[in-house]
Amino acid sequence: MEINKVYSGFRLDRIERIDEINGTAYEMKHEKSGARLIYIDSPDSNKVFNIAFRTTPHNSTGVAHIMEHSVLCGSRKFPLKEPFVELVKGSLNTFLNAMTYPDKTMYPVASKNDKDFHNLMDVYLDAVFYPRVREDAEIVMQEGWHYELENADDELTYKGVVFNEMKGVYSSPDSVLERQIMRELFPDTTYGVDSGGDPDYITDLTYEEFQEFYRVHYHPSNSYIFLYGDMNIEEQLAFLNDEYLSHFDAIDVHTEVALQAPFTEGKVVSYPYSVGSEEPTDNRTLHSFAYVLPDVTPEHSLAFEVLTHALLTSPAAPLKQALVKAGIGSDVSGYYLDSIRQPMWTVQATGSNLDKQADLQHIVESTLQDLCDKGLDKELLEASLNSIEFALRESDFGGRPIGLAYIIRMMDNWLYDNDPLELLHYEEALTNIRNGLAGTYFEDLIRHSILNNNHKVLVSIYPERGLQERKDAEVKEHLAAVKANMTKEEIDAIVEQTK
Ligand SMILES: [Zn+2]
């Protein structure tokens, strides 16, 4: 294939060899529909297809998550109620799942069998571009939320697949903590709301809002298509063009993730989470000290993974030890997250109490300051670097297809209009970091990204007895009022709909 030539409507813009993964990348654009495509040619027989959309909701109705569920409930070519359950029965796939992230929704499949691979691709493409849910509001009611009423005299309740799923998620303190961190760090962007859906807001979703979200986000111009492995790429491009993309004209999309302006001052906040009315509350507070990191390059991302491992995960982990020794909590951990436009880093403690907030902040900051002043343990950093490097070279992804690990990594740049291939070329970054061990590379990074950075929040969540029961009682009261205001005809219609 040659650069600037058009293959089945796709203009080939770039060809690049990537030694790190023993593959060659072809970056293309479908001229009529505006779809982006990357193909990685590799001798791997475990082929991967993925279509992703940049889904950036403005509220916590869970519209992106409900969309993911709903498009999989039948389509033009596959009008079954649950095509995946049916079609996947005889499939030889090695991976098949759909995932809603804070800013994107991905539909990946992998298979070693050509025919199977082609079929699954067809099912996914038909699902996202021609779903039955565009004409059938009942699918959104089933997957999102609806009023449930089996008999006219019963109590009115809320039901829905995602509504119930997210009620489960929100009953876990870890999820409550994670949600509050994102809300505090990114109050003005899509990360401040929950793309999965907050049960308190899911019932605000209307079919009109759902349809509008589909129109804006599920267009080829807002899509990112990925193919990987040993295949006849020209055949795949012809199929994509003839069956799907040629039916669409490019549109202007405005789904970009906005940048959160940095804070001038850090914040310290606390929120309750619910425990049963008889449950103990002592030592059940969770803390998270979280930072939005400035000016992160792919090299910094790798360095932060090394740093997190060294400070918080490794057996010697000095930051973890300092916090445990001071009795801040029974367990200390932390993570670095770069699958969002502005990466974040956090130190967490569980099994704690609310009055430990100030101590935690002081110990994190003074320990890091001390480590910078005295210099970090080089052997510790080197061991962590080796461990991160090993994981990177293996691209071990819990036994999942390696091509899937590549696209998940690439999306961390591609979705924000940066070079997606840059993240697969890691040799140079590794060399720079290794050379940095001799100097003050990591100390400088800690000073710049953490100690001198005010875009930070210390979030604590503490147990409150009976919180959920009080919330449930409010919802019950609200629903009783809703029902009291309904006419007999409206009530009968809901009984009919429930059936
Ligand atoms: Zn779900």
PDB file of all heavy atoms in Angstrom, residues 145-148 156-160 163-164 199 203 475 478-479 482:
ATOM      1  N   TRP A 145     -33.879   2.959  32.687  1.00  0.00           N
ATOM      2  CA  TRP A 145     -34.791   2.950  33.845  1.00  0.00           C
ATOM      3  C   TRP A 145     -36.229   3.042  33.358  1.00  0.00           C
ATOM      4  O   TRP A 145     -36.496   3.503  32.251  1.00  0.00           O
ATOM      5  CB  TRP A 145     -34.492   4.129  34.769  1.00  0.00           C
ATOM      6  CG  TRP A 145     -34.994   5.443  34.224  1.00  0.00           C
ATOM      7  CD1 TRP A 145     -34.362   6.267  33.345  1.00  0.00           C
ATOM      8  CD2 TRP A 145     -36.263   6.066  34.509  1.00  0.00           C
ATOM      9  NE1 TRP A 145     -35.134   7.359  33.062  1.00  0.00           N
ATOM     10  CE2 TRP A 145     -36.316   7.264  33.768  1.00  0.00           C
ATOM     11  CE3 TRP A 145     -37.345   5.718  35.317  1.00  0.00           C
ATOM     12  CZ2 TRP A 145     -37.415   8.131  33.801  1.00  0.00           C
ATOM     13  CZ3 TRP A 145     -38.450   6.586  35.358  1.00  0.00           C
ATOM     14  CH2 TRP A 145     -38.465   7.779  34.606  1.00  0.00           C
ATOM     15  N   HIS A 146     -37.136   2.562  34.185  1.00  0.00           N
ATOM     16  CA  HIS A 146     -38.573   2.725  33.929  1.00  0.00           C
ATOM     17  C   HIS A 146     -39.334   2.606  35.249  1.00  0.00           C
ATOM     18  O   HIS A 146     -38.804   2.114  36.243  1.00  0.00           O
ATOM     19  CB  HIS A 146     -39.084   1.687  32.929  1.00  0.00           C
ATOM     20  CG  HIS A 146     -38.915   0.265  33.392  1.00  0.00           C
ATOM     21  ND1 HIS A 146     -37.805  -0.478  33.072  1.00  0.00           N
ATOM     22  CD2 HIS A 146     -39.694  -0.535  34.166  1.00  0.00           C
ATOM     23  CE1 HIS A 146     -37.913  -1.689  33.627  1.00  0.00           C
ATOM     24  NE2 HIS A 146     -39.045  -1.751  34.299  1.00  0.00           N
ATOM     25  N   TYR A 147     -40.602   3.078  35.218  1.00  0.00           N
ATOM     26  CA  TYR A 147     -41.508   2.839  36.348  1.00  0.00           C
ATOM     27  C   TYR A 147     -41.995   1.407  36.230  1.00  0.00           C
ATOM     28  O   TYR A 147     -42.417   0.980  35.168  1.00  0.00           O
ATOM     29  CB  TYR A 147     -42.722   3.772  36.272  1.00  0.00           C
ATOM     30  CG  TYR A 147     -42.410   5.228  36.513  1.00  0.00           C
ATOM     31  CD1 TYR A 147     -42.729   6.183  35.558  1.00  0.00           C
ATOM     32  CD2 TYR A 147     -41.844   5.644  37.712  1.00  0.00           C
ATOM     33  CE1 TYR A 147     -42.476   7.530  35.784  1.00  0.00           C
ATOM     34  CE2 TYR A 147     -41.586   6.992  37.945  1.00  0.00           C
ATOM     35  CZ  TYR A 147     -41.905   7.925  36.967  1.00  0.00           C
ATOM     36  OH  TYR A 147     -41.665   9.247  37.185  1.00  0.00           O
ATOM     37  N   GLU A 148     -41.945   0.690  37.343  1.00  0.00           N
ATOM     38  CA  GLU A 148     -42.401  -0.695  37.339  1.00  0.00           C
ATOM     39  C   GLU A 148     -43.666  -0.808  38.180  1.00  0.00           C
ATOM     40  O   GLU A 148     -43.727  -0.289  39.299  1.00  0.00           O
ATOM     41  CB  GLU A 148     -41.286  -1.582  37.910  1.00  0.00           C
ATOM     42  CG  GLU A 148     -41.642  -3.031  38.008  1.00  0.00           C
ATOM     43  CD  GLU A 148     -40.946  -3.907  36.978  1.00  0.00           C
ATOM     44  OE1 GLU A 148     -40.343  -3.366  36.025  1.00  0.00           O
ATOM     45  OE2 GLU A 148     -41.015  -5.136  37.140  1.00  0.00           O
ATOM     46  N   LEU A 156     -45.394   1.903  43.227  1.00  0.00           N
ATOM     47  CA  LEU A 156     -44.606   2.232  42.035  1.00  0.00           C
ATOM     48  C   LEU A 156     -43.114   2.147  42.405  1.00  0.00           C
ATOM     49  O   LEU A 156     -42.706   2.643  43.452  1.00  0.00           O
ATOM     50  CB  LEU A 156     -44.960   3.659  41.598  1.00  0.00           C
ATOM     51  CG  LEU A 156     -44.470   4.147  40.245  1.00  0.00           C
ATOM     52  CD1 LEU A 156     -45.117   3.348  39.114  1.00  0.00           C
ATOM     53  CD2 LEU A 156     -44.787   5.632  40.071  1.00  0.00           C
ATOM     54  N   THR A 157     -42.308   1.509  41.541  1.00  0.00           N
ATOM     55  CA  THR A 157     -40.858   1.441  41.803  1.00  0.00           C
ATOM     56  C   THR A 157     -40.079   1.771  40.536  1.00  0.00           C
ATOM     57  O   THR A 157     -40.647   1.819  39.448  1.00  0.00           O
ATOM     58  CB  THR A 157     -40.427   0.032  42.283  1.00  0.00           C
ATOM     59  OG1 THR A 157     -40.851  -0.917  41.303  1.00  0.00           O
ATOM     60  CG2 THR A 157     -41.007  -0.327  43.631  1.00  0.00           C
ATOM     61  N   TYR A 158     -38.769   2.010  40.699  1.00  0.00           N
ATOM     62  CA  TYR A 158     -37.866   2.180  39.557  1.00  0.00           C
ATOM     63  C   TYR A 158     -37.184   0.850  39.275  1.00  0.00           C
ATOM     64  O   TYR A 158     -36.735   0.185  40.204  1.00  0.00           O
ATOM     65  CB  TYR A 158     -36.748   3.172  39.885  1.00  0.00           C
ATOM     66  CG  TYR A 158     -37.142   4.614  40.008  1.00  0.00           C
ATOM     67  CD1 TYR A 158     -36.725   5.361  41.113  1.00  0.00           C
ATOM     68  CD2 TYR A 158     -37.863   5.248  38.998  1.00  0.00           C
ATOM     69  CE1 TYR A 158     -37.035   6.704  41.235  1.00  0.00           C
ATOM     70  CE2 TYR A 158     -38.183   6.603  39.116  1.00  0.00           C
ATOM     71  CZ  TYR A 158     -37.765   7.329  40.232  1.00  0.00           C
ATOM     72  OH  TYR A 158     -38.069   8.645  40.344  1.00  0.00           O
ATOM     73  N   LYS A 159     -37.062   0.498  37.996  1.00  0.00           N
ATOM     74  CA  LYS A 159     -36.275  -0.671  37.606  1.00  0.00           C
ATOM     75  C   LYS A 159     -35.503  -0.326  36.337  1.00  0.00           C
ATOM     76  O   LYS A 159     -35.820   0.630  35.648  1.00  0.00           O
ATOM     77  CB  LYS A 159     -37.211  -1.869  37.302  1.00  0.00           C
ATOM     78  CG  LYS A 159     -37.752  -2.578  38.537  1.00  0.00           C
ATOM     79  CD  LYS A 159     -37.059  -3.923  38.760  1.00  0.00           C
ATOM     80  CE  LYS A 159     -37.287  -4.446  40.172  1.00  0.00           C
ATOM     81  NZ  LYS A 159     -38.703  -4.796  40.421  1.00  0.00           N
ATOM     82  N   GLY A 160     -34.510  -1.160  36.031  1.00  0.00           N
ATOM     83  CA  GLY A 160     -33.726  -0.963  34.810  1.00  0.00           C
ATOM     84  C   GLY A 160     -32.383  -1.652  35.004  1.00  0.00           C
ATOM     85  O   GLY A 160     -31.878  -1.706  36.126  1.00  0.00           O
ATOM     86  N   PHE A 163     -29.686   0.949  35.927  1.00  0.00           N
ATOM     87  CA  PHE A 163     -30.086   1.506  37.230  1.00  0.00           C
ATOM     88  C   PHE A 163     -29.720   0.541  38.359  1.00  0.00           C
ATOM     89  O   PHE A 163     -29.088   0.927  39.347  1.00  0.00           O
ATOM     90  CB  PHE A 163     -31.605   1.791  37.222  1.00  0.00           C
ATOM     91  CG  PHE A 163     -32.132   2.329  38.523  1.00  0.00           C
ATOM     92  CD1 PHE A 163     -31.900   3.648  38.889  1.00  0.00           C
ATOM     93  CD2 PHE A 163     -32.851   1.511  39.385  1.00  0.00           C
ATOM     94  CE1 PHE A 163     -32.382   4.146  40.096  1.00  0.00           C
ATOM     95  CE2 PHE A 163     -33.341   2.002  40.592  1.00  0.00           C
ATOM     96  CZ  PHE A 163     -33.097   3.320  40.946  1.00  0.00           C
ATOM     97  N   ASN A 164     -30.080  -0.745  38.186  1.00  0.00           N
ATOM     98  CA  ASN A 164     -29.772  -1.735  39.223  1.00  0.00           C
ATOM     99  C   ASN A 164     -28.274  -1.986  39.344  1.00  0.00           C
ATOM    100  O   ASN A 164     -27.735  -2.098  40.443  1.00  0.00           O
ATOM    101  CB  ASN A 164     -30.500  -3.052  38.939  1.00  0.00           C
ATOM    102  CG  ASN A 164     -32.000  -2.914  39.108  1.00  0.00           C
ATOM    103  OD1 ASN A 164     -32.483  -1.956  39.714  1.00  0.00           O
ATOM    104  ND2 ASN A 164     -32.748  -3.846  38.561  1.00  0.00           N
ATOM    105  N   PRO A 199     -27.183   6.528  40.399  1.00  0.00           N
ATOM    106  CA  PRO A 199     -28.600   6.143  40.596  1.00  0.00           C
ATOM    107  C   PRO A 199     -29.510   7.326  40.937  1.00  0.00           C
ATOM    108  O   PRO A 199     -30.685   7.305  40.600  1.00  0.00           O
ATOM    109  CB  PRO A 199     -28.545   5.146  41.753  1.00  0.00           C
ATOM    110  CG  PRO A 199     -27.160   4.607  41.739  1.00  0.00           C
ATOM    111  CD  PRO A 199     -26.272   5.694  41.201  1.00  0.00           C
ATOM    112  N   THR A 203     -32.628   8.367  36.654  1.00  0.00           N
ATOM    113  CA  THR A 203     -34.057   8.502  36.363  1.00  0.00           C
ATOM    114  C   THR A 203     -34.417   9.865  35.761  1.00  0.00           C
ATOM    115  O   THR A 203     -35.577  10.120  35.455  1.00  0.00           O
ATOM    116  CB  THR A 203     -34.890   8.250  37.635  1.00  0.00           C
ATOM    117  OG1 THR A 203     -34.401   9.106  38.671  1.00  0.00           O
ATOM    118  CG2 THR A 203     -34.748   6.803  38.090  1.00  0.00           C
ATOM    119  N   VAL A 475     -36.970   8.253  48.181  1.00  0.00           N
ATOM    120  CA  VAL A 475     -37.366   7.823  46.833  1.00  0.00           C
ATOM    121  C   VAL A 475     -38.767   7.224  46.873  1.00  0.00           C
ATOM    122  O   VAL A 475     -39.606   7.504  46.015  1.00  0.00           O
ATOM    123  CB  VAL A 475     -36.346   6.802  46.256  1.00  0.00           C
ATOM    124  CG1 VAL A 475     -36.851   6.199  44.955  1.00  0.00           C
ATOM    125  CG2 VAL A 475     -34.989   7.466  46.043  1.00  0.00           C
ATOM    126  N   HIS A 478     -41.263   9.943  47.133  1.00  0.00           N
ATOM    127  CA  HIS A 478     -41.354  10.623  45.848  1.00  0.00           C
ATOM    128  C   HIS A 478     -42.217   9.813  44.873  1.00  0.00           C
ATOM    129  O   HIS A 478     -43.105  10.354  44.218  1.00  0.00           O
ATOM    130  CB  HIS A 478     -39.949  10.835  45.263  1.00  0.00           C
ATOM    131  CG  HIS A 478     -39.958  11.294  43.836  1.00  0.00           C
ATOM    132  ND1 HIS A 478     -40.315  12.572  43.460  1.00  0.00           N
ATOM    133  CD2 HIS A 478     -39.680  10.638  42.688  1.00  0.00           C
ATOM    134  CE1 HIS A 478     -40.246  12.678  42.148  1.00  0.00           C
ATOM    135  NE2 HIS A 478     -39.864  11.524  41.652  1.00  0.00           N
ATOM    136  N   LEU A 479     -41.964   8.501  44.818  1.00  0.00           N
ATOM    137  CA  LEU A 479     -42.708   7.651  43.882  1.00  0.00           C
ATOM    138  C   LEU A 479     -44.185   7.551  44.265  1.00  0.00           C
ATOM    139  O   LEU A 479     -45.057   7.497  43.385  1.00  0.00           O
ATOM    140  CB  LEU A 479     -42.072   6.265  43.819  1.00  0.00           C
ATOM    141  CG  LEU A 479     -40.764   6.193  43.004  1.00  0.00           C
ATOM    142  CD1 LEU A 479     -40.056   4.863  43.219  1.00  0.00           C
ATOM    143  CD2 LEU A 479     -41.040   6.417  41.518  1.00  0.00           C
ATOM    144  N   VAL A 482     -45.685  10.616  42.926  1.00  0.00           N
ATOM    145  CA  VAL A 482     -45.817  10.518  41.460  1.00  0.00           C
ATOM    146  C   VAL A 482     -47.069   9.720  41.121  1.00  0.00           C
ATOM    147  O   VAL A 482     -47.878  10.119  40.280  1.00  0.00           O
ATOM    148  CB  VAL A 482     -44.562   9.853  40.835  1.00  0.00           C
ATOM    149  CG1 VAL A 482     -44.806   9.480  39.373  1.00  0.00           C
ATOM    150  CG2 VAL A 482     -43.350  10.770  40.953  1.00  0.00           C
TER     151      VAL A 482
END
